[in-house]
Each structure stands twice: as C-alpha cells, then as structure tokens.
Amino acid sequence: MAAPVLGIDLGTTNSVVAVSDAGNTRVLTEPESGSALIPSVVSFHPSGDVLVGHGARDRRLVDAANTVYSIKRLIGRPFRSEEVRRARERFPFELREGPTGGALVVARGESYTLPEISAFVLREVRSVAERALGQAAVRAVITVPANFNELQRSATKAAGRVAGLEVMRILNEPTAAALAYGYGSGQTGRVAIYDLGGGTFDITLLEMQGDVFEVTATAGDTFLGGDDIDLLVAERMADVFLRDNRYDPRGDRQAYERLRAAAEWAKCELSAQPEVELTVEELAYGEDGAALNLNFTMTRREIEAMLTPLVGRTFDVCEDAMRLARLRPAEFDRVILVGGSTRIPLVRRMVQEYFKSEPCCDIDPDTVVAMGAAIHARALAGDVPQPSAPSSQVQVPDNAIGKVALRKVSAERVSLPAGLPPPIAEASNRTAGGPPPAADVVLGSSIVVGAADIDVDVNMNEMLPPAPPPPGGTGGFDAAIMMQQPQAPYPSAMALPQTRADRPAPLLLDVTPQSLVVETVSGYCDPVIRRNAAIPVEQTRVFSTGLDGQESVLIRIAQGESRRYDECQALGQLELHGLRPAPRGAVKIAVTFEIDADGTLQVRAEDPETGQRQGARIALVGGISDEEIAMMAQRQGQHFAESR
Ligand code: AMP
C-alpha cells in the first residue's frame, strides 16, 4: 500500500483516525482494545511517564490536577480570553499565561502549551494508526470545528507538527461529515449538518449537487457541548451531596472531578434508560473520619428539563446560519447529526421539531468526521481522477487534486483618495452613521518584537493581478476524492462498499466563519474579508506611511463581527518593515490578506509603485515559533520513548 494519508478527527472528548484507499474507507482501531475512540486526555504520571488515551482518562479520577482533557475548546485562545477564564474556574488542572499571551498547562512543575498537549493526543492517534496499518504514516488531514478562528487553526496545525505529522489540510468537521455521507450517493439538495460534540456546537448549511459540496453558511459556538451538560448534572449531584451530608464537594477539586465523571456516565445512560441510580463511594470524609457516599437518582424527564434551555441555544446559532443563507429550516432536504451529544433523545426530538424532518444518523456520529477527513486525505494524496464541473458557476482548476488553486473572488486594489492622512490609511466603502472613515486611520508605527511569527509569503512576483468578482460572488474551490455509500447502523470500524476507482473527486466549496478585520481609528475596525466569503479568498488593501522617513508600520488584525476592535478576537499584528525613506504619505503598501483552503491566513505585501516586496510578519497572539515547535517535538519524543 502506498504511504497512507490519515484522516484525523481531533475531538474534544475523543479522537478518531481513518484511512481511505482504493474503494475502501475505514476507521482504524487500537489493535489491543479494538477501540475506535481514543480519549483526548493526557495525564502526567509521577514516574515521569505521559499517559495518553484510555490510560490517561482513568487517571482523571485519581490525579485530576495532572490530567488534562477538553483542551480543544481552549486551543488558540489567548490566556486573557473569556473562554480561558471560565475554564480556569471549572477545570482541575492549572492554566497559566505564556510569554506570548497564550495559555499554558502546568503539570508536575512543567508547563506545556496547548498545542503541545494536543500533540500528545495526535502522537497517540498516529501510533494507533501505524500499529493498525503496520506501516508508518506521517501525512494527515486534521479536522476542526467550522467556526474555529485563525488562532485556533494555526494552533491545531502547530500541534500536528509537534506530533511529527505533515498536516496536509485543516478541514472543517461538518464538511468532512457531508463528504462521508454524500460522496458517491449522487444526491442533490440542501443539507444541514448539526454537530454537537463534547465542547463545541456547529451548524453548517450546504448544497449538494452530485459530488459538489458547496457550503452556504456556517455558524457555531465554541463553548456549547457535552461538557456543559456534565457540569449541569454535576452541580445537581453536588447539591444533593451538600443537602445529605452538609459538605460541599465543590471546594474539593478531586472530589468534584469524580462527580463530573459520574455525571457524564449518568448522562450517557439516560440516553438509553428512563432512569439512573448511582452511588459514588467515599466522595468525602465526615468530621469523625467516616466515609461519605453520594447516592443519586435522576430520570430522563429531569435531565431533559435541565437540558432544554442549553439545547435551545443551539437553535439560536442555527437561526444565525439561516439568516446568512436566507433560508428557513423547513427548506432543507436532509439534516445530518454529528457529535456524541446528538445521541441524546431530546436533542434529536428538538432537531426534528426545528427542521420539520427526521434527522439522518446512518453513520456513527462519533466516526463520521474522521471518515470524511480520510476521503479528503486520499484526494490530497493524488491518484484520483479530476473532478468535473457540474454547473457554470463551478470551475475546475488544472491542479484541483491535491492542491488548491486560488481564485480571487473579491480582490480589489483599493485606490487611495487624494490627500491621504498619515500615518496609514486605507480606502473602503462606508455606510452613513458608522465609525469614522478609514481615511482618518491613525495606526501605530512601531515594531513589536518578541512574539512568535508565522510564515508570510512576501514573494510579490507570485501576486496575481486583481480579478473581477465572479457572478454571484462565489469562487474558491478545493478538491477531494472518492467515497462510498454509508452503511447503517453505526459500524465503528468499517470498510464501506466499493465504488468505481475512476469516480471523479468531489469538489468542496467552503466559507470563512468570521470576518477578518483591521483596526482603524478610535477603537473601530474595518472588515477586510467578510464572514461567509467562499474560500480560498483574498483581498488587497493599500496602506500608506504617516511619518516622514517612516521605515516600518504596524497593523492590528482581528476576527469577529463587531465594529469595535476590542470586541473582536485579536489575532495579532502585522509588521511591515524595510519601507523606503520618503515623505509621509508617499509610500504606499498593498497588503494582500488571503484565507486559504485551510481557513488560515496568509499575508503578502508590496509597494505598488515600485513592485518591491515588503517584509511582512504576523505576530500571532500566543503564536509558536518554528524553534519552539522543534523543541516541543524533541521533548515529546523523549516522553514517548520513556513511556513505551
Ligand atoms: P465528541 O466531541 O463528538 O466526541 O462528543 C463527545 C461528547 O458526546 C461527550 O460530551 C460525551 O459525553 C457525549 N456523548 C457520547 N455518547 C453519549 C450518549 N450516549 N448520550 C449523551 N452524550 C453522549
């Protein structure tokens, strides 16, 4: 077999790996246990060993402070973000601020970046795959929630690199799920993918036309999932324990962790049973030293009453996506369920009520994403026929397979108004009553050093000339490959039926989940690439100097929908340096922001007058440098060698 490319669903709770080869897509299982689900848990043992997966999950109950889980909901989040603040309250392991503003996990006196923790999981996933396949596998497609921002995608890629993987593509989870369901089925119609996992909720709306999958809208909440349900149940348990024993387990992190594990167990049981009854022994000790047990019962009716508002919040997110797509729920032909939390009967009922149709759940919601990723991975590995265009709107590039061809869909070189004010200005369309016009932009001109960089392409010779937007405003494309009809019901390690090896690869047309903005003046910001733009996409903005002889400028960039910069998620700052000395306003810099097929940001810059490229670096908040990645990979290699 040729070197396989893995499809990896790096989940909040569990991770799954699959491969696709000639006419066969299958989930890989741990040879020893036969398990397809690899818990995304890392535990730092007193011996110095690092346990990952099943062994680590069990240690949550006995060593909560050194056992790290659900890290996916924090990856790429700055330490000072609301999400990390909330996590610090609820997780038993320690989180600390890193030197570039990211969050670090502290365990047994050592600190680890969040990508490094995810890399431990990915290394285990890779090891499971290699043992199952009996050969090395270093290339992978890794999936992420559709609404992951630039920092989160970049951090996921970094995790892959630390784990020694060549990450060929970051793929949106719902798009992967759609591939697994739809490729090769010849179906057409509107599909909604409702994805409720352990930590995140995503809704993605797409049009399927044969083997073309065109996302029309996506929306999500990265803090809404099964973990939140566990907390609700754990709180109820803590109340019962307090009532019965006059002891509040919330003050004892280890005891509370045991409650959370019991809560998750009860929640899952209640998806199948009308009632659960459980005892957690020796949860605490009384003043006389006697063991205090928790005795707890819960009915499905009770948990459903607790969950209804939480599940209801998913439909607020759905409404957001519907608004973007200008559609109503009843206009969808199929609703696909993804994520472990969609096993909850209440979720299924509420989804059915909202969409007015019964959701499909033919493929195991735990493994469907990895299978779609594997299908895409095989396309990227090459060796599949080129896709054909089904309509005049979709054009197939020469290099559609294994490589994304960029089509500029909304690129425009913005001409500057006369008399541009210093120090940096950009022109844009404005609506009346909004914040001050961009021509009033006053941005800092100093270079900030010390933060990590990401690669920036500054080869101006490669810049494409601006292209007019295509009809309908859609454009970018990507390609993947062959897939087979899904089997029912829920085969966990599956070899799907053969399809013709010459079946053309499907086309994936995705969108960017959040607007990319630059800071302007008085705390406002201006969108450069708008939410829901088809990707890959690029947009060029022209900035100019504001000081005589200015040699460098600084542009702050963020993602979000607010007009206020500090209400958006700061991504970092773009440094432009090596500008030619000239009077203020005389030097213009055309900065091209590109969101590639991974959904990650690339930037290049040039002086439009001279055609000279400019040095341009983005210092990402919490970014990780190449040197740091190499160091982490080395440390991890040692840990793994010792643990085995
Ligand atoms: P995922 O992120 O897709 O792996 O989903 C994991 C989440 O699904 C966790 O919060 C699990 O507790 C939850 N889950 C898995 N199975 C069930 C079930 N039978 N009933 C309720 N929740 C479940």
Side-chain angles (χ1 to χ4, degrees):
M1 178 180 164
V5 185
L6 306 176
I8 299 176
D9 172 8
L10 178 60
T12 307
T13 313
N14 296 300
S15 295
V16 181
V17 56
V19 286
S20 184
D21 46 45
N24 184 324
T25 299
R26 63 190 190 283
V27 173
L28 299 173
T29 56
E30 243 179 10
E32 301 78 21
S33 66
S35 171
L37 304 185
I38 303 160
S40 306
V41 186
V42 180
S43 183
F44 297 89
H45 197 270
S47 67
D49 283 359
V50 181
L51 306 176
V52 186
H54 293 282
R57 190 181 55 186
D58 299 342
R59 290 196 58 80
R60 268 178 68 176
L61 301 182
V62 292
D63 189 14
N66 298 296
T67 303
V68 187
Y69 60 91
S70 287
I71 215 67
K72 177 173 168 178
R73 60 200 301 172
L74 302 179
I75 198 164
R77 299 264 183 210
F79 180 79
R80 287 161 195 263
S81 62
E82 173 62 12
E83 289 79 5
V84 174
R85 191 194 62 72
R86 282 160 62 180
R88 289 177 68 207
E89 282 172 11
R90 60 165 67 170
F91 289 143
F93 46 85
E94 185 186 341
L95 290 161
R96 178 184 292 170
E97 185 163 16
T100 59
L104 300 176
V105 167
V106 184
R108 301 211 178 277
E110 280 203 62
S111 45
Y112 301 84
T113 64
L114 302 191
E116 197 173 2
I117 299 289
S118 287
F120 276 114
V121 177
L122 284 172
R123 219 172 249 266
E124 177 68 13
V125 166
R126 180 180 152 199
S127 158
V128 166
E130 290 182 339
R131 280 181 282 140
L133 292 167
Q135 68 177 127
V138 291
R139 294 186 297 166
V141 168
I142 303 177
T143 59
V144 295
N147 67 333
F148 254 26
N149 66 29
E150 164 66 21
L151 297 179
Q152 295 169 302
R153 285 166 197 267
S154 177
T156 305
K157 269 192 189 167
R161 288 177 63 197
V162 173
L165 288 167
E166 183 193 330
V167 183
M168 295 184 74
R169 180 64 48 83
I170 295 289
L171 180 67
N172 287 342
E173 288 162 8
T175 313
L179 254 185
Y181 259 96
Y183 181 65
S185 67
Q187 294 175 53
T188 58
R190 293 198 185 106
V191 181
I193 315 256
Y194 179 101
D195 180 356
L196 187 60
T200 56
F201 172 69
D202 267 332
I203 179 78
T204 294
L205 310 178
L206 54 87
E207 300 267 356
M208 232 158 69
Q209 200 184 340
D211 293 334
V212 177
F213 300 79
E214 182 172 9
V215 176
T216 47
T218 189
D221 183 336
T222 42
F223 246 82
L224 181 54
D227 286 356
D228 303 281
I229 301 172
D230 301 345
L231 272 187
L232 288 177
V233 178
E235 282 296 302
R236 178 70 60 93
M237 289 175 166
D239 289 343
V240 169
F241 194 73
L242 177 62
R243 184 197 63 202
D244 294 349
N245 298 291
R246 299 208 191 141
Y247 178 96
D248 192 345
R250 281 170 275 239
D252 175 345
R253 289 202 149 197
Q254 187 65 59
Y256 196 66
E257 199 50 34
R258 292 182 68 200
L259 279 192
R260 283 160 62 123
E264 183 178 7
W265 179 84
K267 170 190 77 174
C268 293
E269 283 296 299
L270 285 169
S271 292
Q273 319 285 344
E275 186 171 354
V276 285
E277 188 174 344
L278 61 88
T279 301
V280 180
E281 290 181 349
E282 300 181 30
L283 188 63
Y285 293 91
E287 281 168 10
D288 57 355
L292 304 175
N293 299 343
L294 167 74
N295 297 307
F296 183 78
T297 55
M298 185 173 249
T299 63
R300 187 184 286 176
R301 190 184 286 263
E302 283 169 335
I303 196 171
E304 289 191 345
M306 274 167 60
L307 293 192
T308 302
L310 187 144
V311 181
R313 277 169 52 203
T314 67
F315 300 105
D316 296 339
V317 181
C318 291
E319 280 299 292
D320 189 22
M322 294 292 161
R323 264 192 303 276
L324 281 175
R326 295 169 200 268
L327 288 168
R328 293 307 305 150
E331 292 177 86
F332 285 81
D333 302 295
R334 300 182 85 186
V335 185
I336 293 172
L337 297 182
V338 182
S341 300
T342 62
R343 292 176 192 273
I344 298 172
L346 175 77
V347 171
R348 294 185 175 199
R349 282 205 315 274
M350 288 177 75
V351 168
Q352 181 162 351
E353 275 164 33
Y354 179 77
F355 284 98
K356 311 274 182 269
S357 69
E358 196 176 336
C360 356
C361 21
D362 307 345
I363 306 183
D364 183 343
D366 285 328
T367 56
V368 63
V369 168
M371 293 212 300
I375 291 160
H376 192 57
R378 183 165 175 242
L380 295 176
D383 197 28
V384 286
Q386 191 167 302
S388 57
S391 76
S392 59
Q393 279 217 323
V394 179
Q395 294 165 14
V396 181
D398 290 343
N399 59 347
I401 294 168
K403 203 170 163 200
V404 170
L406 177 73
R407 194 163 83 187
K408 295 166 62 127
V409 295
S410 59
E412 57 186 90
R413 204 163 299 214
V414 182
S415 57
L416 287 166
L420 199 72
I424 300 177
E426 80 180 285
S428 67
N429 295 329
R430 295 254 159 196
T431 48
D440 291 336
V441 168
V442 177
L443 295 172
S445 59
S446 61
I447 292 287
V448 171
V449 289
D453 306 327
I454 62 163
D455 292 341
V456 171
D457 174 6
V458 289
N459 183 355
M460 293 314 142
N461 297 328
E462 287 174 10
M463 269 192 78
L464 300 170
T474 60
F477 46 75
D478 187 356
I481 85 153
M482 33 204 347
M483 165 58 189
Q484 301 73 34
Q485 294 275 22
Q487 279 182 343
Y490 294 3
S492 67
M494 59 188 69
L496 295 170
Q498 297 273 327
T499 45
R500 283 178 18 238
D502 60 351
R503 177 165 203 101
L507 286 179
L508 305 184
L509 300 131
D510 229 316
V511 298
T512 180
Q514 292 163 28
S515 300
L516 179 76
V517 303
V518 292
E519 188 184 31
T520 55
V521 71
S522 307
Y524 284 96
C525 56
D526 216 24
V528 177
I529 294 175
R530 288 189 187 273
R531 179 184 184 196
N532 225 39
I535 56 170
V537 60
E538 69 176 45
Q539 176 69 271
T540 299
R541 287 287 172 118
V542 178
F543 298 88
S544 78
T545 51
L547 300 172
D548 292 341
Q550 188 174 333
E551 289 179 358
S552 59
V553 291
L554 185 70
I555 301 163
R556 296 213 298 160
I557 52 183
Q559 268 183 318
E561 310 314 312
S562 172
R563 304 303 306 270
R564 303 287 308 176
Y565 183 83
D566 56 9
E567 288 172 4
C568 293
Q569 171 63 64
L571 293 184
Q573 39 210 13
L574 171 63
E575 304 166 11
L576 301 174
H577 49 85
L579 308 184
R580 65 189 152 89
R584 65 183 234 173
V587 177
K588 314 247 184 311
I589 311 110
V591 182
T592 301
F593 298 87
E594 176 194 332
I595 297 183
D596 66 16
D598 287 344
T600 53
L601 177 66
Q602 313 278 341
V603 179
R604 24 182 222 276
E606 72 166 350
D607 181 337
E609 246 177 62
T610 63
Q612 288 294 302
R613 72 179 68 169
Q614 302 293 337
R617 294 188 304 162
I618 296 181
L620 283 182
V621 177
I624 299 174
S625 66
D626 286 349
E627 295 75 42
E628 287 169 312
I629 286 180
M631 250 169 48
M632 287 188 258
Q634 196 190 11
R635 167 159 87 160
Q636 197 163 89
Q638 275 167 6
H639 272 310
F640 257 72
E642 283 161 17
S643 300
R644 294 212 174 270

